[in-house]
């Protein structure tokens, strides 16, 4: 959650506790050193895992099939995640090494905020696309098209870009040395109070609610789809073993999708829950030890939020067999042929079979 962390550019070392007993002072110093150590190093770990992972994700997804709204959104998410990690580590290193970036550099600090916001909202768009695909498969071609996907993404990117860039251009500036960044005095109250909550809702709370709702509806749709197909099979000819095999294979594909969505929901919950706790529970304390504990917890929730930009490749790899096989094919310099063709054949066959039995919106793979 880089938006609130960008204010912490004045120092990266703990302050010396005063007027405390030796035991408390030692504990405060230990917590402060832990926070500083994490703050200095964690982004390198995120970068080492997430940046190449997102590149592999883009290559793997785009090589699996032609461009569709789903592959476009997933690739865009990987692009945003990779760019977010790269931009964050650049600004962090500039701050750590006290490199003068001047007024222009301080105003450009909106980029990590913009990319983080865009990544979370692209994840919402992915969930929305999957919801329509699973629950309204016969209307998907009319509701979600590549053109509409591009338009929605362009509008979302433009709104977020203009909002963040204008905000920083108006409020942020550097000090006389060009090293330290912060807000103008007349905007400080807005930045520390109102924008704190606006950012929290835009970056965490609203996307989280949408993702949870869409995921629940998708799982419900998959369960209903399974029930409908089994009902169709019971009323079909007993000797249609080929259709039965198609249905069983479709259910295996369903389970793979469901597992991936549940993984995504649980991981997103685990990584954002500490940030929610901190945002809702933190109150500045006069007790220096308690305050230092909160500061350490704040740094930990930054680590988890930033880690959300690095896990998608590993999540897809562990939960999606098609993704895993295609990635290995790329490493072996092989093209995606038989498996992809088989999956498409299954999807088309099941769709035709379901439409032949019903004219209603029956969910299918």
């Amino acid at each position: 959650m880089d938006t609130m962390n960008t204010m912490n550019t004045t120092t990266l070392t703990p302050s010396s506790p005063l007027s405390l007993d030796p035991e408390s002072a030692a504990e405060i110093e230990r917590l402060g050193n832990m926070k500083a150590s994490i703050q200095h190093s964690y982004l390198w770990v995120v970068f080492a895992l997430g940046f190449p992972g997102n590149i592999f994700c883009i290559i793997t997804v785009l090589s699996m099939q032609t461009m569709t709204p789903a592959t476009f959104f997933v690739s865009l998410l990987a692009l945003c995640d990779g760019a977010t990690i790269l931009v964050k580590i650049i600004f962090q290193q500039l701050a750590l090494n006290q490199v003068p970036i001047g007024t222009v550099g301080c105003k450009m600090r909106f980029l990590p905020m913009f990319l983080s916001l865009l990544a979370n909202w692209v994840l919402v768009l992915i969930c929305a696309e999957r919801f329509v695909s699973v629950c309204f498969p016969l209307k998907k071609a009319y509701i979600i098209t590549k053109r509409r996907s591009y338009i929605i993404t362009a509008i979302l990117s433009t709104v977020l870009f203009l909002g963040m860039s204008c905000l920083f251009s108006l409020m942020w500036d550097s000090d006389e040395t060009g090293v330290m960044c912060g807000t103008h005095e007349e905007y400080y109250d807005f930045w520390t109070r109102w924008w704190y909550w606006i950012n929290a809702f835009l970056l965490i709370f609203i996307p989280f609610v949408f993702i949870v709702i869409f995921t629940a509806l998708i799982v419900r749709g998959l369960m209903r789809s399974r029930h409908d197909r089994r009902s169709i099979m019971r009323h079909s000819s007993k000797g249609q073993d080929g259709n039965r095999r198609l249905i069983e294979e479709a259910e295996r594909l369903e389970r793979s999708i469901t597992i991936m969505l549940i993984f995504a929901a649980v991981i997103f919950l685990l990584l954002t829950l500490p940030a929610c706790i901190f945002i809702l529970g933190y109150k500045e304390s006069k007790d220096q030890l308690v305050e230092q504990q909160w500061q350490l917890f704040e740094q930990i929730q930054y680590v988890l939020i930033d880690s959300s930009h690095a896990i998608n490749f590993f999540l897809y790899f562990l939960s999606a067999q098609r993704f895993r096989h295609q990635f290995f094919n790329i490493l072996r310099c092989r093209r995606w042929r038989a498996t992809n063709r088989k999956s498409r054949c299954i999807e088309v066959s099941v769709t035709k079979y379901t439409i032949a039995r019903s004219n209603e919106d029956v969910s299918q793979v």
Side-chain angles (χ1 to χ4, degrees):
M1 207 165 93
D2 186 74
T3 49
M4 283 173 279
N5 201 21
T6 51
M7 295 299 297
N8 298 331
T9 57
T10 55
T11 179
L12 294 176
T13 57
S15 58
S16 300
L18 301 174
S19 304
L20 295 172
D21 60 273
E23 184 176 349
S24 298
E27 179 65 12
I28 291 174
E29 183 178 4
R30 186 183 70 85
L31 295 176
N33 290 333
M34 288 177 59
K35 176 190 173 183
S37 178
I38 293 172
Q39 193 172 23
H40 279 72
S41 60
Y42 84 93
L43 267 180
W44 284 112
V45 178
V46 173
F47 178 82
L49 295 175
F51 191 75
N54 283 301
I55 293 177
F56 286 139
C57 183
I58 295 173
I59 296 173
T60 303
V61 170
L62 292 182
S63 66
M64 290 175 69
Q65 58 185 26
T66 57
M67 181 68 72
T68 64
T71 56
F72 168 70
F73 285 136
V74 172
S75 301
L76 179 61
L77 176 62
L79 178 63
C80 292
D81 284 336
T84 301
I85 297 171
L86 179 62
V87 171
K88 283 188 175 184
I89 200 168
I90 289 174
F91 277 110
Q92 186 207 48
Q93 292 306 303
L94 291 174
L96 288 174
N97 294 282
Q98 297 187 349
V99 177
I101 59 177
T103 298
V104 175
C106 288
K107 295 183 185 301
M108 290 298 293
R109 290 184 68 95
F110 80 91
L111 284 174
M113 181 189 300
F114 160 70
L115 292 169
S116 295
L117 284 169
L118 183 59
N120 282 5
W121 281 97
V122 169
L123 184 58
V124 173
L125 293 179
I126 291 175
C127 292
E129 189 275 337
R130 285 290 85 199
F131 163 70
V132 174
S133 299
V134 171
C135 298
F136 304 99
L138 303 183
K139 297 181 180 180
K140 175 189 174 184
Y142 303 99
I143 297 176
I144 302 179
T145 63
K146 286 192 291 185
R147 183 172 181 271
R148 288 180 180 175
S149 300
Y150 300 155
I151 292 175
I152 291 173
T153 302
I155 293 174
L156 176 64
S157 302
T158 301
V159 170
L160 292 178
F161 183 87
L162 292 178
M164 298 302 103
S165 60
C166 291
L167 186 74
F168 271 71
S169 296
L170 179 65
M171 296 185 179
W172 272 62
D173 206 342
S174 66
D175 62 3
E176 296 179 355
T177 65
V179 176
M180 310 307 299
C181 297
T183 58
H184 293 290
E185 186 176 352
E186 58 267 33
Y187 302 117
Y188 182 78
D189 185 68
F190 169 81
W191 188 268
T192 56
R193 293 186 181 182
W194 295 103
W195 177 246
Y196 180 88
W197 289 103
I198 293 172
N199 168 66
F201 274 91
L202 289 176
L203 185 66
I204 295 180
F205 293 130
I206 298 178
F208 177 79
V209 170
F210 274 118
I211 290 171
V212 169
I213 292 174
F214 280 132
T215 302
L217 292 175
I218 290 169
V219 173
R220 179 178 178 273
L222 290 172
M223 295 174 64
R224 179 184 174 186
S225 172
R226 180 181 181 184
H227 177 269
D228 288 340
R229 281 195 299 273
R230 289 189 173 183
S231 177
I232 291 172
M233 287 302 299
R234 285 197 298 268
H235 293 86
S236 64
S237 175
K238 300 295 184 181
Q240 292 182 345
D241 293 333
N243 286 331
R244 184 172 291 105
R245 285 195 296 271
L246 287 175
I247 297 301
E248 291 174 353
E249 182 65 23
E251 288 183 353
R252 281 194 290 269
L253 291 175
E254 268 188 7
R255 286 195 295 271
S256 176
I257 296 172
T258 304
I259 291 172
M260 186 173 68
L261 289 170
I262 293 175
F263 261 108
V266 171
I267 295 300
F268 188 82
L269 172 63
L270 292 177
L271 293 179
T272 56
L273 184 59
C276 297
I277 294 173
F278 178 82
I279 293 170
L280 297 175
Y282 171 70
K283 292 182 180 179
E284 189 174 357
S285 175
K286 295 181 179 180
D287 188 323
Q288 294 187 48
L289 179 58
V290 173
E291 180 66 21
Q292 195 62 253
Q293 290 171 344
W294 273 110
Q295 293 299 318
L296 177 61
F297 182 72
E298 179 187 26
Q299 188 58 53
I300 292 174
Q301 60 94 17
Y302 284 140
V303 173
L304 297 177
I305 289 294
D306 288 338
S307 298
S308 67
H309 299 297
I311 64 168
N312 284 332
F313 169 77
F314 305 99
L315 181 63
Y316 300 153
F317 184 87
L318 292 174
S319 61
Q321 185 178 18
R322 291 179 62 194
F323 183 92
R324 185 164 58 249
H325 286 175
Q326 176 62 359
F327 176 68
F328 286 137
N329 286 335
I330 292 174
L331 293 181
R332 294 192 295 262
C333 298
R334 295 179 180 178
R335 296 183 62 185
W336 182 255
R337 292 178 179 174
T339 305
N340 190 40
R341 189 160 53 245
K342 177 182 177 182
S343 298
R344 289 185 181 182
C345 179
I346 291 171
E347 292 175 1
V348 172
S349 300
V350 173
T351 301
K352 290 181 178 179
Y353 184 75
T354 305
I355 294 176
R357 296 294 303 179
S358 174
N359 291 323
E360 300 177 355
D361 282 344
V362 178
S363 300
Q364 60 220 254
V365 175

